[in-house]
Amino acid sequence: MPDTSSKAGVNPDGTIDRARAKRMLNPFDRYALQKALEIKRDSGAEVTCVAMGPPPAVEVLIEAFEHGADYGILLTDKRLAASDTLATAYALHKVVHYLGDFDVILTGLQTTDGDTAQVGPQIAERLNIPQITYCEHLSISDRILNGQRIVEGGNQEIEVHLPVLITVANSATPLDYKRFADVAAVKEFLRHPEERDKRIRTVSLDTIGANPNRTGLLGSPTVVGKTWKIGDVGGSCIVFKGESIEREVDELMERLRTDGRGVEELINA
Amino acid sequence: MPNPHNVAVVAEQFHGSLQQITSELIGAARFLSEKLGTGVSCFLLGHEITQLAERLVHQGADEVIVIDAPQLKEYATLTYRRAVIGILEHLGTPPQIVLMGSTTIGRDLAPRIAAYLETGLTADCTEFDIGDYEHKGKADPSKTGNFKNILYAIRPSFGESLKARILGPWKNPQMATARIGVVQALPLDTSRKGKIYNISVNFKQEDLRIKVLKTVRDVSVSVNLTEAKVIVSGGYGLGEPEGFEVVRDLASVFKNSVVGASRRAVDSNWIGYAHQVGQTGKTVRPDIYIALGISGAIQHRVGMANSKLIIAVNKDADAPILKFAHYGIVGDLYQVAPLLKKALIKMAKQKY
């Protein structure tokens, strides 16, 4: 996804030029990657990262390698452009089929650009497997996964048999996944084309047997009809600043007493 | 026979109590259905919940389609998925529009239903409307067309500080989830009459693959950001996790108040995710929102900008929040918060 914290690729009108924008691993996916690396540590599982995007998106896979992922697969194809969540999930589930066997698919809760949280569950639907979304904690034994997911005002404990898809909440383990990192080793294998090819595979829609009519614009049931800038309400704020904090608070209180908003009704008397 | 052309709402209940989002969704559905000249249908799923159907009618539904089954006692993705699919199959013709809540249930269930139906779904909408759309289809000529009376699902597109109108004119149902607290519920009308249909669904073995061992949801002690009247939030400007003591202390002054937080404070592990307000947390609209040490980046702003009264305390006079709050104090929150607390208590005492 584009790095929206970087100025590169941001048009003057605030929209993103995805071709020029700097690429980054979706911050939410870092929690998913960390969970995957924890499962690897505890069970000896292999971690394969899947990315979908233009060829430079391989950077994201390399970032994942630097943190301890074993294999990377990049799905890149011009016909994927403008895929909505349904089309993206279709393409990604074909990658999963192409890879063959799996036990756990971890995804970030959502992306920070689209923010829909839909792709994970839609992959699970297409694969006909159970899912645990908003998952904070999980443990696996005897091919049974116990997960705890967030619900409004609490949590839910869930038990499922593998395989399962998990979307990882960003309240999961704090983000210190660099502890798994082996940056030097990654640099080393990237230098050797043969070794690199063993670890990173680049595939197209044809390689994975995906129907191009079900991806990209053609495969997307939604379209962005119109966008507009969120109006700036700047200038309406009454700011108190002055020689002393006491004075500022007094001035604010005077406002609150007289502005008819009824703040006093909400105070414990 | 239920009317398949109605605007449909998937109701949310937890252990027999309807959730706030449901009345808001019904409010949105009424608005849309009046423009379309149809009615509102609610899907009510759960166990021993049939008595809630009448309340949904009072909230604005014309029809309620109920599936009451022991398998639906606790929310689980696959049983609820089967139930919604069961209702849609029962209707025969898909509804034009299906709305669900942008909650941990709606965001879990809606994408699966949409993928099953191969239809479009727009997440986290803040507004809805009905209108026309002409698809020119330069790059996808097969989809060209002039579409009348379709759903406008409007949502902020955050990284880009934009609002976007998303359309799915090619297939029904057009699906969307709505954020809590952004669409108005209608006033309760206990004289409203509606039709209630009980239907059943056959659960398959594969629907029972998710076992819910326990749901803990203690509303009295938990963070209930979306229903609180007052939210006092802390941000990175607190400087340390202990800063939330000051936030809690100020919140304690108010009735029905909870503690909120910015993403940076949550990511720094100073407080749990359940407190997070903003793009990746909860969208809130309390009567009073007090922001302590929160700069007010767009990601936070979209989650709280609709609060009725926003008071911000920030050291930095240039902080964006001091542009869009109603009142702002420039100063050290550690000095301001205790003074503010004292002054608020004094104000309330003077009143009584």
Side-chain angles (χ1 to χ4, degrees):
Chain A
M1 54 172 286
D3 179 356
T4 47
S5 67
S6 157
K7 288 202 169 61
V10 180
N11 297 323
D13 64 355
T15 57
I16 303 288
D17 179 345
R18 282 165 196 265
R20 284 194 301 125
K22 208 177 146 211
R23 251 159 286 274
M24 62 182 259
L25 180 60
N26 168 30
F28 283 92
D29 289 349
R30 296 186 181 150
Y31 293 89
L33 177 57
Q34 169 159 276
K35 271 276 177 276
L37 295 169
E38 284 170 3
I39 294 171
K40 176 183 170 179
R41 176 197 63 201
D42 297 339
S43 68
E46 278 174 353
V47 175
T48 302
C49 292
V50 180
M52 174 174 138
V58 76
E59 293 160 32
V60 166
L61 292 176
I62 290 169
E63 185 180 339
F65 282 124
E66 286 174 349
H67 297 296
D70 299 296
Y71 297 99
I73 183 156
L74 175 66
L75 172 62
T76 186
D77 200 304
K78 285 207 170 70
R79 293 168 291 182
L80 288 164
S83 293
D84 71 359
T85 58
L86 193 81
T88 301
Y90 168 77
L92 290 175
H93 108 283
K94 293 300 278 188
V95 176
V96 175
H97 276 317
Y98 170 76
L99 288 169
D101 210 14
F102 68 93
D103 289 316
V104 183
I105 297 173
L106 295 128
T107 72
L109 179 63
Q110 58 196 43
T111 59
T112 53
D113 57 347
D115 195 38
T116 69
Q118 286 171 192
V119 172
Q122 296 197 320
I123 295 172
E125 177 64 25
R126 295 208 183 275
L127 294 170
N128 187 23
I129 58 172
Q131 71 192 30
I132 304 177
T133 55
Y134 291 90
C135 186
E136 281 187 296
H137 306 290
L138 62 84
S139 62
I140 304 170
S141 81
D142 294 333
R143 299 196 58 77
I144 291 173
L145 185 145
N146 277 279
Q148 185 181 305
R149 75 183 289 261
I150 303 173
V151 297
E152 282 73 18
N155 58 62
Q156 203 175 37
E157 280 174 33
I158 288 172
E159 186 183 287
V160 284
H161 280 266
L162 303 183
V164 62
L165 183 140
I166 305 285
T167 80
V168 181
N170 62 341
S171 53
T173 325
L175 202 59
D176 62 345
Y177 71 139
K178 286 201 172 174
R179 64 198 148 104
F180 298 106
D182 191 350
V183 179
V186 174
K187 275 200 178 124
E188 182 58 28
F189 87 68
L190 287 176
R191 266 202 288 273
H192 299 91
E194 271 176 36
E195 197 51 32
R196 185 188 164 110
D197 289 348
K198 256 187 242 164
R199 302 280 288 266
I200 306 176
R201 263 183 290 177
T202 302
V203 296
S204 68
L205 290 175
D206 301 328
T207 329
I208 60 171
N211 178 353
N213 292 332
R214 297 182 67 183
T215 67
L217 273 181
L218 287 175
S220 298
T222 60
V223 63
V224 179
K226 184 184 153 191
T227 60
W228 60 97
K229 270 201 156 168
I230 293 176
D232 203 11
V233 291
S236 61
C237 182
I238 299 169
V239 179
F240 305 100
K241 58 178 176 183
E243 63 272 35
S244 82
I245 300 281
E246 286 78 6
R247 180 76 189 275
E248 292 174 24
V249 172
D250 282 348
E251 286 174 4
L252 169 65
M253 294 310 297
E254 191 47 40
R255 280 276 174 180
L256 293 177
R257 255 188 289 273
T258 56
D259 69 359
R261 290 178 188 272
V263 167
E264 64 278 3
E265 307 291 338
L266 290 162
I267 301 170
N268 287 314
Chain B
M1 189 61 196
N3 181 353
H5 303 293
N6 282 352
V7 176
V9 164
V10 180
E12 240 180 70
Q13 57 82 26
F14 176 72
H15 291 180
S17 58
L18 284 171
Q19 303 298 292
Q20 179 197 326
I21 184 69
T22 302
S23 56
E24 296 171 358
L25 292 171
I26 292 172
R30 275 241 74 85
F31 171 75
L32 298 174
S33 69
E34 277 159 20
K35 290 204 161 187
L36 291 169
T38 61
V40 173
S41 291
C42 250
F43 301 174
L44 175 61
L45 318 168
H47 185 43
E48 294 168 349
I49 39 80
T50 309
Q51 75 284 357
L52 300 176
E54 199 186 355
R55 188 165 176 88
L56 293 172
V57 171
H58 296 164
Q59 290 179 349
D62 299 299
E63 294 184 351
V64 183
I65 304 165
V66 186
I67 299 185
D68 192 322
Q71 293 90 339
L72 300 174
K73 187 172 189 307
E74 296 280 351
Y75 172 77
T77 314
L78 297 178
T79 46
Y80 273 63
R81 169 191 175 278
R82 177 63 61 200
V84 173
I85 291 171
I87 292 176
L88 293 170
E89 284 172 353
H90 183 82
L91 290 174
T93 312
Q96 297 182 63
I97 295 168
V98 174
L99 302 181
M100 295 175 70
S102 181
T103 60
T104 57
I105 289 178
R107 288 178 120 212
D108 188 74
L109 182 59
R112 286 201 78 130
I113 304 290
Y116 173 82
L117 299 171
E118 304 264 354
T119 196
L121 169 64
T122 306
D124 294 356
C125 297
T126 53
E127 292 163 57
F128 297 106
D129 208 347
I130 297 291
D132 301 336
Y133 173 65
E134 186 187 358
H135 190 73
K136 298 226 171 69
K138 272 177 229 145
D140 50 356
S142 61
K143 291 165 86 178
T144 302
N146 232 323
F147 303 92
K148 300 282 175 209
N149 289 330
I150 58 160
L151 175 68
Y152 287 177
I154 299 159
R155 69 187 305 263
S157 175
F158 300 112
E160 308 164 27
S161 326
L162 301 170
K163 267 193 184 174
R165 178 192 288 166
I166 315 287
L167 313 148
W170 298 282
K171 190 166 182 181
N172 285 340
Q174 303 160 67
M175 292 182 65
T177 63
R179 293 171 169 241
I180 301 174
V182 296
V183 185
Q184 290 285 6
L186 302 167
L188 207 62
D189 177 359
T190 50
S191 67
R192 281 194 97 243
K193 299 271 176 270
K195 290 184 189 141
I196 294 165
Y197 302 92
N198 276 282
I199 70 164
S200 60
V201 65
N202 290 321
F203 292 99
K204 301 176 181 171
Q205 202 53 42
E206 62 168 31
D207 300 330
L208 308 173
R209 285 177 289 175
I210 293 175
K211 214 156 100 187
V212 176
L213 304 177
K214 192 164 75 174
T215 306
V216 184
R217 211 181 139 175
D218 190 344
V219 179
S220 60
V221 296
S222 68
V223 190
N224 212 328
L225 284 170
T226 48
E227 286 167 28
K229 290 274 183 219
V230 181
I231 297 174
V232 183
S233 278
Y236 200 64
L238 293 175
E240 54 179 10
E242 290 72 25
F244 273 99
E245 287 308 318
V246 175
V247 181
R248 275 184 207 104
D249 197 39
L250 184 56
S252 70
V253 169
F254 296 99
K255 298 171 190 164
N256 190 1
S257 66
V258 296
V259 169
S262 73
R263 170 152 178 211
R264 274 189 88 186
V266 172
D267 278 357
S268 305
N269 245 8
W270 295 349
I271 193 161
Y273 172 68
H275 294 267
Q276 189 173 316
V277 172
Q279 176 192 339
T280 54
K282 287 278 162 19
T283 299
V284 298
R285 198 175 53 180
D287 289 346
I288 307 176
Y289 190 93
I290 302 182
L292 301 176
I294 293 177
S295 67
I298 184 72
Q299 290 81 357
H300 190 75
R301 178 176 162 187
V302 295
M304 46 64 79
N306 288 329
S307 305
K308 293 191 187 100
L309 170 65
I310 301 169
I311 302 172
V313 179
N314 209 291
K315 263 200 290 213
D316 177 7
D318 294 325
I321 200 158
L322 295 177
K323 301 272 187 310
F324 66 85
H326 298 96
Y327 301 128
I329 288 189
V330 179
D332 179 359
L333 70 96
Y334 286 101
Q335 289 175 29
V336 176
L339 284 175
L340 191 56
K341 180 188 169 186
K342 238 190 269 173
L344 287 165
I345 293 171
K346 197 170 140 203
M347 175 164 114
K349 282 203 177 123
Q350 280 168 350
K351 182 174 180 279
Y352 290 100

mmCIF file of all heavy atoms in Angstrom, chain B residues 214-233:
data_model
loop_
_atom_site.group_PDB
_atom_site.id
_atom_site.type_symbol
_atom_site.label_atom_id
_atom_site.label_comp_id
_atom_site.label_asym_id
_atom_site.label_seq_id
_atom_site.Cartn_x
_atom_site.Cartn_y
_atom_site.Cartn_z
ATOM 1 N N LYS B 214 -17.004 -18.741 25.366
ATOM 2 C CA LYS B 214 -17.414 -17.774 26.383
ATOM 3 C C LYS B 214 -17.458 -16.391 25.753
ATOM 4 O O LYS B 214 -16.605 -16.042 24.944
ATOM 5 C CB LYS B 214 -16.360 -17.774 27.495
ATOM 6 C CG LYS B 214 -16.765 -17.046 28.755
ATOM 7 C CD LYS B 214 -15.861 -17.407 29.932
ATOM 8 C CE LYS B 214 -14.511 -16.722 29.813
ATOM 9 N NZ LYS B 214 -13.637 -16.903 30.966
ATOM 10 N N THR B 215 -18.464 -15.608 26.082
ATOM 11 C CA THR B 215 -18.474 -14.193 25.689
ATOM 12 C C THR B 215 -18.542 -13.374 26.967
ATOM 13 O O THR B 215 -19.470 -13.522 27.752
ATOM 14 C CB THR B 215 -19.679 -13.855 24.794
ATOM 15 O OG1 THR B 215 -19.688 -14.756 23.691
ATOM 16 C CG2 THR B 215 -19.579 -12.432 24.264
ATOM 17 N N VAL B 216 -17.539 -12.569 27.194
ATOM 18 C CA VAL B 216 -17.533 -11.694 28.370
ATOM 19 C C VAL B 216 -17.854 -10.304 27.865
ATOM 20 O O VAL B 216 -17.179 -9.796 26.978
ATOM 21 C CB VAL B 216 -16.140 -11.663 29.027
ATOM 22 C CG1 VAL B 216 -16.170 -10.822 30.308
ATOM 23 C CG2 VAL B 216 -15.652 -13.062 29.305
ATOM 24 N N ARG B 217 -18.899 -9.736 28.384
ATOM 25 C CA ARG B 217 -19.249 -8.414 27.920
ATOM 26 C C ARG B 217 -19.942 -7.701 29.044
ATOM 27 O O ARG B 217 -21.143 -7.731 29.186
ATOM 28 C CB ARG B 217 -20.165 -8.536 26.703
ATOM 29 C CG ARG B 217 -19.975 -7.379 25.777
ATOM 30 C CD ARG B 217 -20.870 -7.477 24.605
ATOM 31 N NE ARG B 217 -21.372 -6.141 24.348
ATOM 32 C CZ ARG B 217 -22.122 -5.838 23.328
ATOM 33 N NH1 ARG B 217 -22.477 -6.749 22.471
ATOM 34 N NH2 ARG B 217 -22.537 -4.622 23.160
ATOM 35 N N ASP B 218 -19.149 -7.082 29.877
ATOM 36 C CA ASP B 218 -19.704 -6.420 31.044
ATOM 37 C C ASP B 218 -19.799 -4.933 30.751
ATOM 38 O O ASP B 218 -18.847 -4.191 30.863
ATOM 39 C CB ASP B 218 -18.823 -6.683 32.262
ATOM 40 C CG ASP B 218 -19.519 -6.219 33.524
ATOM 41 O OD1 ASP B 218 -20.486 -5.449 33.406
ATOM 42 O OD2 ASP B 218 -19.097 -6.618 34.610
ATOM 43 N N VAL B 219 -20.976 -4.554 30.343
ATOM 44 C CA VAL B 219 -21.156 -3.179 29.890
ATOM 45 C C VAL B 219 -20.959 -2.186 31.036
ATOM 46 O O VAL B 219 -20.535 -1.058 30.837
ATOM 47 C CB VAL B 219 -22.552 -3.010 29.230
ATOM 48 C CG1 VAL B 219 -22.772 -1.586 28.769
ATOM 49 C CG2 VAL B 219 -22.669 -3.966 28.055
ATOM 50 N N SER B 220 -21.235 -2.639 32.269
ATOM 51 C CA SER B 220 -21.136 -1.693 33.381
ATOM 52 C C SER B 220 -19.693 -1.290 33.662
ATOM 53 O O SER B 220 -19.431 -0.159 34.043
ATOM 54 C CB SER B 220 -21.761 -2.293 34.639
ATOM 55 O OG SER B 220 -21.084 -3.479 34.991
ATOM 56 N N VAL B 221 -18.761 -2.211 33.473
ATOM 57 C CA VAL B 221 -17.377 -1.852 33.778
ATOM 58 C C VAL B 221 -16.526 -1.662 32.530
ATOM 59 O O VAL B 221 -15.421 -1.167 32.603
ATOM 60 C CB VAL B 221 -16.675 -2.912 34.688
ATOM 61 C CG1 VAL B 221 -17.358 -2.977 36.029
ATOM 62 C CG2 VAL B 221 -16.624 -4.262 34.024
ATOM 63 N N SER B 222 -17.090 -2.048 31.395
ATOM 64 C CA SER B 222 -16.235 -2.006 30.216
ATOM 65 C C SER B 222 -16.272 -0.635 29.564
ATOM 66 O O SER B 222 -17.075 0.214 29.901
ATOM 67 C CB SER B 222 -16.708 -3.052 29.220
ATOM 68 O OG SER B 222 -17.951 -2.653 28.745
ATOM 69 N N VAL B 223 -15.422 -0.459 28.631
ATOM 70 C CA VAL B 223 -15.385 0.791 27.905
ATOM 71 C C VAL B 223 -16.540 0.788 26.927
ATOM 72 O O VAL B 223 -16.621 -0.079 26.079
ATOM 73 C CB VAL B 223 -14.099 0.863 27.073
ATOM 74 C CG1 VAL B 223 -13.923 2.256 26.494
ATOM 75 C CG2 VAL B 223 -12.916 0.447 27.889
ATOM 76 N N ASN B 224 -17.414 1.720 27.058
ATOM 77 C CA ASN B 224 -18.471 1.776 26.071
ATOM 78 C C ASN B 224 -18.454 3.134 25.400
ATOM 79 O O ASN B 224 -19.291 3.988 25.634
ATOM 80 C CB ASN B 224 -19.813 1.446 26.702
ATOM 81 C CG ASN B 224 -20.689 0.752 25.674
ATOM 82 O OD1 ASN B 224 -20.556 1.052 24.480
ATOM 83 N ND2 ASN B 224 -21.538 -0.134 26.096
ATOM 84 N N LEU B 225 -17.461 3.276 24.575
ATOM 85 C CA LEU B 225 -17.188 4.572 23.964
ATOM 86 C C LEU B 225 -18.363 5.108 23.177
ATOM 87 O O LEU B 225 -18.640 6.299 23.207
ATOM 88 C CB LEU B 225 -15.982 4.448 23.023
ATOM 89 C CG LEU B 225 -14.611 4.375 23.677
ATOM 90 C CD1 LEU B 225 -13.560 4.012 22.651
ATOM 91 C CD2 LEU B 225 -14.269 5.708 24.326
ATOM 92 N N THR B 226 -19.054 4.203 22.485
ATOM 93 C CA THR B 226 -20.068 4.697 21.560
ATOM 94 C C THR B 226 -21.343 5.125 22.270
ATOM 95 O O THR B 226 -22.153 5.816 21.688
ATOM 96 C CB THR B 226 -20.393 3.647 20.492
ATOM 97 O OG1 THR B 226 -20.608 2.414 21.153
ATOM 98 C CG2 THR B 226 -19.259 3.518 19.513
ATOM 99 N N GLU B 227 -21.531 4.696 23.501
ATOM 100 C CA GLU B 227 -22.767 5.065 24.178
ATOM 101 C C GLU B 227 -22.564 6.074 25.300
ATOM 102 O O GLU B 227 -23.532 6.560 25.883
ATOM 103 C CB GLU B 227 -23.490 3.808 24.665
ATOM 104 C CG GLU B 227 -24.137 3.082 23.482
ATOM 105 C CD GLU B 227 -24.622 1.674 23.795
ATOM 106 O OE1 GLU B 227 -24.960 1.413 24.960
ATOM 107 O OE2 GLU B 227 -24.643 0.845 22.866
ATOM 108 N N ALA B 228 -21.297 6.396 25.611
ATOM 109 C CA ALA B 228 -21.026 7.322 26.716
ATOM 110 C C ALA B 228 -21.451 8.742 26.341
ATOM 111 O O ALA B 228 -21.402 9.141 25.189
ATOM 112 C CB ALA B 228 -19.548 7.286 27.053
ATOM 113 N N LYS B 229 -21.880 9.492 27.337
ATOM 114 C CA LYS B 229 -22.266 10.897 27.116
ATOM 115 C C LYS B 229 -21.023 11.786 27.106
ATOM 116 O O LYS B 229 -21.016 12.845 26.485
ATOM 117 C CB LYS B 229 -23.204 11.363 28.236
ATOM 118 C CG LYS B 229 -24.577 10.724 28.182
ATOM 119 C CD LYS B 229 -25.491 11.513 27.268
ATOM 120 C CE LYS B 229 -26.890 10.939 27.256
ATOM 121 N NZ LYS B 229 -27.466 10.990 25.918
ATOM 122 N N VAL B 230 -20.031 11.373 27.887
ATOM 123 C CA VAL B 230 -18.817 12.185 27.996
ATOM 124 C C VAL B 230 -17.597 11.282 27.789
ATOM 125 O O VAL B 230 -17.524 10.194 28.355
ATOM 126 C CB VAL B 230 -18.709 12.854 29.391
ATOM 127 C CG1 VAL B 230 -17.451 13.711 29.487
ATOM 128 C CG2 VAL B 230 -19.947 13.695 29.679
ATOM 129 N N ILE B 231 -16.674 11.744 26.957
ATOM 130 C CA ILE B 231 -15.420 11.006 26.776
ATOM 131 C C ILE B 231 -14.263 11.954 27.070
ATOM 132 O O ILE B 231 -14.214 13.065 26.536
ATOM 133 C CB ILE B 231 -15.293 10.446 25.343
ATOM 134 C CG1 ILE B 231 -16.409 9.434 25.068
ATOM 135 C CG2 ILE B 231 -13.918 9.797 25.130
ATOM 136 C CD1 ILE B 231 -16.472 8.932 23.642
ATOM 137 N N VAL B 232 -13.391 11.508 27.967
ATOM 138 C CA VAL B 232 -12.162 12.260 28.199
ATOM 139 C C VAL B 232 -11.033 11.398 27.639
ATOM 140 O O VAL B 232 -10.853 10.253 28.054
ATOM 141 C CB VAL B 232 -11.935 12.558 29.697
ATOM 142 C CG1 VAL B 232 -10.683 13.403 29.882
ATOM 143 C CG2 VAL B 232 -13.147 13.273 30.286
ATOM 144 N N SER B 233 -10.334 11.922 26.648
ATOM 145 C CA SER B 233 -9.330 11.126 25.942
ATOM 146 C C SER B 233 -7.928 11.650 26.181
ATOM 147 O O SER B 233 -7.720 12.861 26.315
ATOM 148 C CB SER B 233 -9.587 11.169 24.433
ATOM 149 O OG SER B 233 -10.570 10.258 24.076
#
